[in-house]
Amino acid sequence: MNNEHPLFANNRSWVRAVNASDPGFFATLSRLQAPKFLWIGCADSRVPANEIVGLKPGEMFVHRNVANVVVHTDLNCLSVIQYAVDVLNIDDILVVGHYGCGGIAAALEGQRLGLIDNWLRHVQDVMRRGEQLLEPLTTVTARQRLLTELNVIEQVANVCQTTMVQGAWDRGRTVHVRGWIYDVADGLLQDLSMCVGPGDDVGVLQRAAALAAAQRAMERSVRT
Ligand code: CO
């Protein structure tokens, strides 16, 4: 059992490469973290948060779970948001979904995978609320893509409704919560036109972003 796990060799060569390009990197980082962004994304292995946006360790605070869901009673996610907003003073919160998400597909198709089914009930709630928008789409892929977008838009609203973000806005902080989507097929991020800041009406923005997403989905389905 003394065989070293192969990832330790990977780690050492990564450290060598970082030190070669930036000798003071670890010394600086060890003193403090001052990330400017909070990323809330999916746990999917194809969506490595920092890498996608070209940020180094120390530059982004990250929370990931299956299907990037923000649940009002999830102390894990809520604690991350609280620490990010109140302690790290982050004003830029990104909720990032991705096309080809297994969690979204499982929720849409009602697959039985085990315990995770209960977590994905939250995505099924999004699906039920977006039924009228999803229903006209004729292919599974089109519905999956739209549900992925609707889920991001709803999770942005959920972040906005937390006491941490509401409190930050009350104190005059300019916290913005944005909804983005990542395409594992081409590596590109897209903005879902769901960006909420102080004084904005979350419900109005959510409905507008959801309708715009449905409109794009219909246009895509006509083209293909
Ligand atoms: Co996913």
Side-chain angles (χ1 to χ4, degrees), residues 188-220:
L188 291 172
L189 276 174
Q190 287 170 55
D191 194 326
L192 289 177
S193 303
M194 176 69 178
C195 174
V196 189
D200 287 336
D201 186 321
V202 180
V204 167
L205 293 179
Q206 181 177 1
R207 276 188 294 279
L211 285 174
Q215 181 69 38
R216 286 193 305 273
M218 286 306 288
E219 284 161 12
R220 276 198 300 263

Side-chain angles (χ1 to χ4, degrees), residues 42-44 46-47 65-68 97-104:
C42 184
D44 192 299
R46 297 164 298 178
V47 194
N65 63 41
V66 174
N68 42 273
H98 70 102
Y99 296 128
C101 183
I104 298 287

